[in-house]
């Protein structure tokens, strides 16, 4: 329906929304989330916290892993097929023959669905960037949240951290509080400057709120409170910061009663597939001999690889192997650099049924640059078999490099 897959801008979305009666102006309070990494995890934490406090929550996230329905959650439940089909057809009919991109119709459909079913709050994830992302048509969110910002999608957002910060931090609105993670010295300074320029009150990690690991869990502190919280259910030490950001956002919401017990329960019960997820059931993990573990992560950039490398500290007593598949727009050498010296065997795969993915042989070349024991495989299951047959002892296998690959694995594994 458009000559380009991605064409950043708000004109098409605003025109379509007007034809549909501007449903984005008929929503419950909105929490708008942008950043490079951890948007989905922070939203998952925040949803779990809000639901534990008894609130009904609409959620829009992207991309999906297995089913398109995952993008739109209505008051706690994924949208049903018939309702999704009806709303997409309504959007298509209203759009007529005008150009529109794949990344613009889904948030419009979500706005339409959210406007027709009651809920207490909407959690809204940006797709690409922020300034020109379709979700930015929401004029007065209740709260903005910035997850860690780093280099990614340079083809569309710019080649420098300055350009990318300006795109993502542009979700901030005058007078609307923004809770933000720390991003690094240069990006922190840019975010603070933009917030002052826009007139958005800013609540910064490391300045206005803090989260740290303690013996039995996490400690969250701000000027108003100190909370002892459990370790989050999501694996990886990077999820401690993500949990802290969600808690800071929950504390920053006005008009919502969120007791400490709900914060704790949300952290303990959160679910978010494809993010350092242990695979324990299904054909793939059940094919492994005793002593082996299989994990899955959809991270695809340097920051995600650094998070995996940091979590490796908890895994280093056992052999660690990778199965890697990536989209061709990413840089596999940059992704693999933080994992140099940590990976035993690296097996590379294409991503079946996905246009624009690296082939296994090309990816294998990136592994050889970092002197990893690398070979291409024709499929994930073949890569698993090859690692098990080659490794001298049982260890952990992590399938990583792409949310598309993660979705494919989850689908094939049932």
């Amino acid at each position: 329906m458009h000559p380009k897959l991605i064409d950043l801008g708000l004109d098409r979305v605003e025109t379509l929304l007007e034809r549909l009666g501007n449903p984005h102006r008929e929503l419950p309070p909105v929490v708008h989330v942008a950043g490079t990494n951890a948007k989905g995890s922070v939203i998952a934490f925040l949803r779990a916290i809000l639901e534990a406090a008894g609130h009904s929550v609409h959620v829009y996230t992207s991309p999906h892993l297995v089913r398109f329905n995952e993008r739109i959650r209505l008051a706690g439940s994924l949208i049903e097929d018939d309702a999704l089909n009806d709303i997409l057809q309504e959007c298509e009919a209203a759009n007529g023959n005008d150009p529109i991109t794949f990344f613009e119709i889904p948030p419009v459909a979500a706005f339409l669905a959210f406007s027709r079913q009651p809920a207490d709050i909407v959690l809204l994830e940006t797709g690409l960037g922020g300034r020109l992302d379709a979700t930015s048509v929401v004029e007065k969110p209740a709260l903005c949240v910035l997850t860690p910002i780093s280099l990614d999608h340079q083809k569309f957002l710019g080649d420098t951290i300055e350009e990318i910060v300006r795109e993502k931090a542009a979700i901030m609105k005058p007078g609307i509080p923004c809770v933000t993670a720390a991003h690094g010295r240069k990006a922190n300074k840019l975010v603070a400057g933009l917030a002052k320029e826009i007139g958005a009150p800013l609540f910064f990690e490391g300045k206005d709120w803090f989260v740290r690991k303690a013996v039995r869990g996490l400690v969250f502190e701000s000027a108003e409170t100190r909370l002892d919280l459990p370790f989050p259910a999501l694996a990886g030490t990077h999820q401690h910061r993500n949990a802290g950001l969600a808690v800071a956002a929950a504390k920053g919401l006005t008009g919502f009663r969120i007791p400490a017990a709900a914060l704790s329960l949300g952290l303990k019960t959160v679910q978010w597939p494809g993010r350092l997820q242990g695979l324990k059931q299904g054909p793939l993990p059940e094919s492994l001999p005793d002593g082996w573990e299989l994990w899955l992560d959809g991270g695809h950039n340097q920051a995600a690889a650094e998070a995996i490398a940091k979590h490796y500290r908890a895994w280093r007593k056992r052999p660690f192997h990778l199965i890697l598949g990536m989209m061709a727009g990413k840089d596999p050498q940059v992704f693999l650099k933080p994992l140099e010296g940590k990976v035993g065997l690296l097996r590379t795969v294409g991503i079946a049924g996905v246009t624009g993915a690296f082939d296994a042989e090309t990816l294998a070349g990136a592994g050889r640059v970092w002197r990893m024991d690398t070979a291409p495989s024709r499929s994930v299951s073949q890569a698993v078999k090859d690692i098990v047959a080659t490794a001298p002892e049982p260890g952990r296998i992590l399938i990583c490099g792409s949310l598309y690959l993660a979705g494919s694995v989850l689908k094939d594994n049932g």
Side-chain angles (χ1 to χ4, degrees), residues 1-294:
M1 298 174 71
H2 192 283
K4 295 181 181 178
L5 178 64
I6 296 174
D7 184 14
L8 296 178
L10 300 179
D11 292 346
R12 292 176 300 277
V13 169
E14 289 172 341
T15 298
L16 178 54
L17 285 167
E18 186 173 354
R19 292 174 185 173
L20 291 166
N22 291 313
H24 63 301
R25 295 176 182 163
E26 305 296 330
L27 303 180
V30 173
V31 177
H32 197 189
V33 182
T36 301
N37 290 87
K39 296 189 296 293
S41 295
V42 169
I43 285 179
F45 278 121
L46 195 49
R47 176 171 74 86
I49 289 167
L50 287 162
E51 290 180 343
H55 299 291
S56 59
V57 187
H58 291 329
V59 184
Y60 176 75
T61 56
S62 64
H64 61 276
L65 292 179
V66 179
R67 299 174 64 221
F68 188 93
N69 311 54
E70 297 166 35
R71 294 171 180 252
I72 301 175
R73 185 177 292 270
L74 296 175
S77 300
L78 297 184
I79 189 169
E80 298 287 343
D81 286 349
D82 289 344
L84 175 61
N85 184 59
D86 289 346
I87 279 182
L88 289 173
Q89 287 196 11
E90 187 174 348
C91 291
E92 186 176 353
N95 191 70
N97 293 320
D98 291 345
I100 196 90
T101 71
F102 172 78
F103 295 98
E104 292 167 330
I105 285 280
V108 171
F111 293 145
L112 201 57
F114 295 162
S115 71
R116 293 174 177 175
Q117 182 164 331
D120 297 322
I121 193 167
V122 173
L123 305 181
L124 185 62
E125 179 187 352
T126 57
L128 184 64
R131 182 175 64 90
L132 297 176
D133 185 75
T135 61
S136 290
V137 295
V138 174
E139 296 158 349
K140 292 185 178 180
L143 184 73
C144 294
V145 178
L146 292 176
T147 67
I149 298 174
S150 58
L151 291 173
D152 199 14
H153 296 297
Q154 289 98 313
K155 179 179 178 181
F156 301 102
L157 302 180
D159 294 323
T160 67
I161 192 65
E162 291 90 347
E163 291 172 302
I164 291 174
V165 165
R166 286 194 173 275
E167 290 295 323
K168 293 181 181 290
I171 69 163
M172 294 188 291
K173 302 291 192 299
I176 305 299
C178 179
V179 178
T180 178
H183 313 282
R185 184 177 297 177
K186 182 183 288 188
N188 286 349
K189 188 175 180 180
L190 289 166
V191 170
L194 285 170
K196 185 176 180 180
E197 182 181 313
I198 292 167
L202 201 60
F203 298 89
F204 234 121
E205 178 188 10
K207 179 183 177 184
D208 304 297
W209 62 270
F210 305 81
V211 65
R212 60 182 173 83
K213 179 182 177 182
V215 175
R216 297 182 179 179
L218 304 180
V219 175
F220 176 90
E221 294 181 272
S222 68
E224 297 81 23
T225 188
R226 182 189 187 280
L227 296 167
D228 293 309
L229 299 167
F231 286 121
L234 300 184
T237 54
H238 60 289
Q239 294 293 0
H240 298 175
R241 290 184 63 204
N242 297 339
L245 182 55
V247 170
K251 300 292 288 183
L253 280 170
T254 57
F256 288 83
R257 183 179 177 274
I258 306 175
L263 296 169
S264 294
L265 183 59
L267 267 57
K268 288 192 292 186
T269 59
V270 64
Q271 294 182 335
W272 193 230
R275 281 76 176 178
L276 273 183
Q277 176 185 2
L279 298 180
K280 299 179 180 180
Q281 295 179 323
L284 206 52
E286 289 169 5
S287 70
L288 290 170
D290 290 344
W292 285 89
E293 292 180 11
L294 188 63

Side-chain angles (χ1 to χ4, degrees), residues 344-348 360 363-369 371-376:
L345 302 173
L346 170 65
R347 297 297 178 259
T348 58
L363 273 183
R368 296 180 188 117
V369 167
R371 298 183 297 278
M372 296 179 180
D373 185 336
T374 307

